[in-house]
Amino acid sequence: RSLSLDLPSRSPCWPTPPHIPHGHIDLRTSMDGKYKEIAEELFSRSLAESEMRSAPYEFPEESPIEQLEERRHRLERQISQDIKFEPDILLRAKQDFMKTDSATDLEYMKEQSQAPKELYPERELVPEREYQRVTISGEEKCGVPFTDLLDAAKCVVKALFIREKYISLSMQSFCRTTARYLQEELGGRPLDLNTFEEMPESSVSADATVHPPVSETHPYEVLDPASMPPGLGYTCKMVDGVVHVYTQNSSELDLPYPDLQEYIADMNMMMALIINGPVKSFCYRRLQYLSSKFQMHILLNEMKELAAQKKVPHRDFYNIRKVDTHIHASSCMNQKHLLRFIKRAMKKYPGEIVHVEQGRGQTLSEVFESMNLTAFDLSVDTLDMHADRNTFHRFDKFNSKYNPIGESILREIFIKTDNHVEGKYFGHMIKEVMADLEESKYQNVELRLSIYGRSRDEWDKLAEWAVKHKVYSDNVRWLVQVPRLFDVYHTKKQLSNFQEMLENIFMPLFEVTVNPSSHPQLHLFLEHVVGFDSVDDESKPEHHIFNLDSPKPVNWTEEDNPPYSYYLYYMYANMTVLNHLRRQRNLNSFVLRPHCGEAGPIHHLVSGFMLSENISHGLLLRKAPVLQYLYYLAQIGIAMSPLSNNSLFLSYHRNPLPEYLSRGLMVSLSTDDPLQFHFTKTIKIQGIKEKTYIRVAYRFETLCEELNLITQAVRSEELETVEEQGSLCMGAGPARR
């Protein structure tokens, strides 16, 4: 086994001479003649420690690395322009600067430069993709015996096929690179990739518009039923927790959804896989290799990435497009914003009735008078909404931080969509947040709004709030979160069984899909909803194991809450049926992106792997190497919130985000709850910027390398089996005759 650095400017089979006499090597560098000055500078700094302004091992300002990189890029551009006029002189200059110390190197570079351009069209199109690569040679590249590699590869491939089955069934996105290797290398059944077709690349001119065109009409103004798709006359009925759709002839539509027995079997297989010893060892080794390889990549290409990043015009951290993929609408503002809005409302609407207590209406001023507070008394400290150390592992205390001044009545008035003022204040505040996003131009968010499943009219009320107050922005899309609170509602006699909760959540969606004019506002609102989320405290103990003996939703009348996987399966199953129905009507479909792996048992991440397009948090992946490796191979998005985790479940310095990023997992930074965790107005952590095309190329090639490793292991065994069967048939031929 050997470690080699694959330089793209050289051939892959670069010969290394067994012995090179020292006298034949030119060791001159650009630092020659300056060693004495550098040494004197270092000695003088070490003697005057009190006056040092930088570390004693830094290079003097006469030779900064950035200037060297700039000189090198200028020289390369000059060579590319003038090589046909003076090839020998320019190549010698490039040799001196690039430290090409052998005549063979020079000869190879000369051949490459003089080669016809038609032989190397890709070098003309994308010359920047040349960077230093780290490759492993030898027979056992993964560091484990072939038998262990084969067993682990089979398990990993089987798990990827399971995910592909459920993701394609629900019309969610599956990583195309992984799908291509599963299909082409293993020669299995053609994967259903029609549900997430690639958009063709289009050329962009220099004078193209940076921002999307602004619509002349507001998207919520088109409420004419005549402009909506016609009704189909279908009927919907929920059977065993899943909605079935019937035509006018009472025949059921063929809308697929996952079989419960098959799902339980797949989940049991996944649970057995993640505790398999050899598979755990293999996946752990691969993850460690990915971390080390990334560190080597940074060591070799950091300055080249930085130089390439500086070449991109009009793009830096502040004006690249950032999307906050995990943020709750009820806490998307910071405390100062909320405080100013409350004070402004107290001055502008003091006599407006905002709450009804025992049949008597209360004005906004009366509400604060009952608390012995005035606008002058209010401050950020008085609001007391910042999550502190008292919320660590106390989800109940964290939820109470949503109450301004500890009063639930103020939460109902200012950050609820369904209240006596019909969510007027909350709508105005969200629109102010949207205005800030539009002003910044490059920040986008996916705000989460809640549907609880307590009544059928929740969807209509939510859509009416959005349409009435025109809560819309091109920078915002909506996700609908469903809190896992059936036990609370059942205890309060608001729900009789779990199926009633599912009906309240999904039946209005099927009704508006079948006949949009029956819920016109909901039809318009759903055009801007992208998916569903499942939220609550994952650390709460689960007293039930989801299996074939679990009661059906209509029979779930227990006081205990259903387990996480139970919630997720029935949300996924109904969303799958709904997506197929909406696809038939040329309407937008939805994805499942739950809170997953923040705390609790590991099987939450198993359910997320099988059923979800993306997840939020994923902290527990650090304890499950098999799942972490699978999440990497499938490139499942993980929206991570280190500030949120620091106040709830995991200290900031222990957060695995840097580790996930180095290994190549698809992670993003998200804010979660700025109201609880932020002090400033500007949201500064809304994305992770991978540096330039070099980093993207590195990520892609590394993923292909891992996929090739496991698929080739499985493929090689198949070929050996075919050869053995062929030899047995040939050997048995004469005996049969």
Side-chain angles (χ1 to χ4, degrees):
R1 192 181 298 111
S2 64
L3 180 67
S4 62
L5 303 182
D6 182 14
L7 302 181
S9 58
R10 304 182 182 183
S11 63
C13 300
W14 187 253
T16 302
H19 175 69
I20 301 179
H22 181 73
H24 294 173
I25 301 177
D26 184 6
L27 298 178
R28 291 176 298 174
T29 69
S30 60
M31 298 296 293
D32 288 352
K34 297 185 178 181
Y35 292 138
K36 181 178 180 181
E37 292 83 358
I38 295 175
E40 291 177 350
E41 177 69 15
L42 291 176
F43 282 128
S44 62
R45 291 186 183 186
S46 63
L47 293 176
E49 294 181 357
S50 59
E51 298 180 0
M52 279 200 314
R53 297 184 178 180
S54 60
Y57 47 81
E58 290 183 354
F59 282 98
E61 290 299 322
E62 288 79 9
S63 57
I65 299 179
E66 289 83 357
Q67 293 182 11
L68 293 177
E69 284 291 316
E70 184 65 25
R71 286 173 52 200
R72 186 173 65 84
H73 283 293
R74 282 202 305 269
L75 185 58
E76 286 182 342
R77 286 195 296 268
Q78 180 183 357
I79 290 174
S80 63
Q81 295 172 359
D82 303 335
I83 189 66
K84 56 185 178 182
F85 300 112
E86 297 176 319
D88 295 330
I89 298 177
L90 290 174
L91 279 176
R92 175 60 61 183
K94 183 172 182 179
Q95 178 197 25
D96 292 339
F97 190 84
M98 297 292 290
K99 320 296 184 302
T100 305
D101 297 320
S102 75
T104 315
D105 279 353
L106 180 61
E107 187 66 27
Y108 177 78
M109 292 166 57
K110 185 174 181 179
E111 292 175 0
Q112 292 292 316
S113 303
Q114 294 177 347
K117 292 185 178 181
E118 58 270 13
L119 297 180
Y120 302 98
E122 70 281 357
R123 294 178 61 86
E124 288 294 316
L125 294 175
V126 285
E128 298 90 356
R129 292 186 181 177
E130 296 182 353
Y131 66 95
Q132 295 188 6
R133 294 165 172 84
V134 179
T135 59
I136 304 296
S137 62
E139 295 182 358
E140 296 182 0
K141 296 184 179 181
C142 61
V144 298
F146 181 75
T147 54
D148 289 352
L149 168 62
L150 184 59
D151 292 340
K154 286 182 178 179
C155 293
V156 169
V157 168
K158 189 181 298 184
L160 292 174
F161 271 118
I162 287 176
R163 171 171 171 80
E164 184 276 329
K165 175 177 63 176
Y166 288 100
I167 293 301
S168 62
L169 180 65
S170 58
M171 299 183 175
Q172 300 183 84
S173 298
F174 187 81
C175 178
R176 296 192 66 88
T177 303
T178 307
R180 188 175 71 249
Y181 272 87
L182 293 179
Q183 180 177 350
E184 296 179 359
E185 299 296 335
L186 299 181
R189 60 180 178 84
L191 303 184
D192 184 12
L193 301 180
N194 295 327
T195 57
F196 32 89
E197 297 177 354
E198 258 186 314
M199 296 295 294
E201 293 186 4
S202 57
S203 58
V204 180
S205 60
D207 57 348
T209 57
V210 178
H211 305 290
V214 180
S215 176
E216 297 181 357
T217 61
H218 196 280
Y220 290 155
E221 290 180 353
V222 188
L223 278 174
D224 184 13
S227 63
M228 298 180 181
L232 300 176
Y234 294 166
T235 57
C236 305
K237 181 182 179 181
M238 181 167 285
V239 180
D240 291 336
V242 181
V243 177
H244 294 247
V245 183
Y246 302 90
T247 64
Q248 296 176 346
N249 300 327
S250 300
S251 60
E252 184 178 352
L253 283 181
D254 184 18
L255 301 174
Y257 65 92
D259 178 67
L260 178 59
Q261 185 174 356
E262 183 179 1
Y263 169 76
I264 295 295
D266 289 337
M267 189 170 181
N268 291 338
M269 195 282 293
M270 290 290 302
M271 293 297 295
L273 185 150
I274 64 175
I275 62 173
N276 183 294
V279 179
K280 288 173 65 177
S281 299
F282 169 78
C283 293
Y284 175 78
R285 286 174 175 269
R286 298 313 300 171
L287 291 172
Q288 292 296 103
Y289 164 74
L290 291 172
S291 297
S292 302
K293 184 178 181 181
F294 179 73
Q295 298 303 324
M296 184 67 74
H297 170 81
I298 294 298
L299 181 67
L300 296 174
N301 297 285
E302 184 175 17
M303 298 313 301
K304 182 173 286 190
E305 286 186 349
L306 182 61
Q309 186 176 338
K310 291 178 179 179
K311 286 183 178 180
V312 182
H314 191 64
R315 283 293 177 264
D316 54 29
F317 177 79
Y318 292 95
N319 57 12
I320 59 170
R321 303 202 181 275
K322 300 174 285 291
V323 182
D324 195 342
T325 55
H326 177 200
I327 178 172
H328 301 273
S330 58
S331 57
C332 65
M333 72 294 295
N334 59 68
Q335 297 175 68
K336 190 64 175 177
H337 185 177
L338 178 61
L339 176 65
R340 288 176 175 172
F341 185 88
I342 292 176
K343 288 184 175 182
R344 198 161 59 242
M346 292 175 66
K347 294 178 180 179
K348 193 173 182 180
Y349 310 106
E352 184 175 14
I353 297 178
V354 296
H355 181 67
V356 176
E357 186 72 27
Q358 297 179 353
R360 175 183 172 275
Q362 284 184 304
T363 64
L364 190 59
S365 60
E366 290 174 346
V367 169
F368 280 94
E369 286 174 4
S370 65
M371 303 175 189
N372 296 321
L373 288 173
T374 64
F376 181 77
D377 298 326
L378 294 179
S379 67
V380 169
D381 294 331
T382 309
L383 288 181
D384 190 27
M385 303 187 74
H386 193 80
D388 50 27
R389 300 308 299 174
N390 292 324
T391 62
F392 197 71
H393 284 278
R394 289 295 303 273
F395 211 84
D396 55 336
K397 288 189 174 183
F398 174 74
N399 282 333
S400 66
K401 290 292 183 179
Y402 278 89
N403 300 327
I405 324 177
E407 298 288 344
S408 60
I409 183 176
L410 295 182
R411 177 181 183 179
E412 177 188 341
I413 293 172
F414 287 102
I415 54 179
K416 288 285 187 180
T417 60
D418 183 18
N419 51 29
H420 189 73
V421 293
E422 298 178 340
K424 170 185 173 182
Y425 297 149
F426 185 49
H428 287 179
M429 207 165 357
I430 295 293
K431 290 170 73 173
E432 290 178 3
V433 173
M434 291 177 171
D436 292 340
L437 295 173
E438 292 170 355
E439 183 181 359
S440 69
K441 297 182 181 179
Y442 302 100
Q443 297 186 47
N444 305 274
V445 298
E446 295 177 336
L447 297 178
R448 283 158 167 76
L449 295 168
S450 295
I451 290 292
Y452 300 94
R454 290 174 293 188
S455 62
R456 285 282 186 98
D457 60 352
E458 289 182 11
W459 278 105
D460 288 326
K461 290 181 178 179
L462 181 63
E464 182 183 3
W465 167 81
V467 173
K468 179 179 179 180
H469 301 291
K470 296 184 179 180
V471 188
Y472 171 82
S473 172
D474 289 333
N475 297 59
V476 174
R477 289 296 180 267
W478 304 107
L479 267 88
V480 173
Q481 62 183 22
V482 181
R484 298 186 296 275
L485 298 175
F486 168 76
D487 54 340
V488 176
Y489 307 146
H490 182 61
T491 303
K492 294 180 178 180
K493 308 300 181 183
Q494 295 176 340
L495 295 173
S496 58
N497 55 60
F498 188 72
Q499 180 160 304
E500 185 178 351
M501 182 179 182
L502 292 173
E503 289 176 347
N504 294 336
I505 295 171
F506 288 101
M507 287 299 286
L509 301 179
F510 280 88
E511 292 171 1
V512 73
T513 303
V514 170
N515 184 14
S517 59
S518 63
H519 306 268
Q521 294 176 325
L522 180 57
H523 172 73
L524 294 179
F525 176 69
L526 289 179
E527 292 180 351
H528 309 285
V529 175
V530 298
F532 296 95
D533 189 358
S534 179
V535 299
D536 196 27
D537 180 10
E538 289 189 70
S539 64
K540 291 195 301 188
E542 298 180 355
H543 304 289
H544 188 90
I545 299 176
F546 186 27
N547 52 37
L548 293 177
D549 297 328
S550 301
K552 300 293 185 182
V554 70
N555 298 323
W556 192 288
T557 57
E558 305 174 12
E559 297 296 332
D560 293 333
N561 209 28
Y564 180 92
S565 54
Y566 193 92
Y567 271 99
L568 218 60
Y569 169 77
Y570 284 105
M571 285 187 65
Y572 166 87
N574 284 284
M575 187 195 74
T576 300
V577 178
L578 181 63
N579 281 347
H580 282 274
L581 180 62
R582 293 182 68 85
R583 178 61 62 89
Q584 291 182 6
R585 305 224 64 190
N586 292 323
L587 300 174
N588 61 299
S589 57
F590 307 112
V591 299
L592 183 61
R593 290 166 48 187
H595 283 51
C596 184
E598 185 178 16
I602 201 68
H603 69 75
H604 294 189
L605 286 166
V606 174
S607 301
F609 174 80
M610 294 171 60
L611 306 178
S612 307
E613 181 176 279
N614 299 333
I615 66 169
S616 298
H617 294 300
L619 296 179
L620 292 181
L621 285 175
R622 72 188 194 279
K623 298 182 179 180
V626 177
L627 277 176
Q628 188 180 148
Y629 191 58
L630 288 173
Y631 271 71
Y632 164 71
L633 293 177
Q635 288 293 284
I636 301 175
I638 307 172
M640 305 193 69
S641 310
L643 283 178
S644 171
N645 305 143
N646 183 62
S647 297
L648 278 169
F649 292 108
L650 191 67
S651 300
Y652 194 82
H653 69 281
R654 296 178 57 199
N655 197 282
L657 171 62
E659 184 180 72
Y660 291 176
L661 181 62
S662 67
R663 291 173 175 176
L665 276 75
M666 187 181 289
V667 296
S668 68
L669 275 172
S670 58
T671 56
D672 198 353
D673 299 286
L675 183 61
Q676 276 74 36
F677 308 122
H678 289 205
F679 288 107
T680 58
K681 178 180 179 179
T682 305
I683 300 174
K684 296 185 183 296
I685 55 165
Q686 290 184 323
I688 293 179
K689 183 182 179 183
E690 288 280 31
K691 297 181 180 179
T692 69
Y693 51 83
I694 297 178
R695 182 70 59 85
V696 174
Y698 165 77
R699 295 295 191 195
F700 176 75
E701 293 177 7
T702 304
L703 176 62
C704 291
E705 175 188 332
E706 293 299 312
L707 291 169
N708 186 66
L709 175 67
I710 60 172
T711 54
Q712 288 301 320
V714 177
R715 184 67 174 163
S716 63
E717 196 214 19
E718 291 181 355
L719 295 176
E720 290 178 1
T721 304
V722 171
E723 291 176 358
E724 290 177 359
Q725 291 176 350
S727 61
L728 289 175
C729 292
M730 293 178 63
R736 284 197 302 269
R737 286 195 297 270

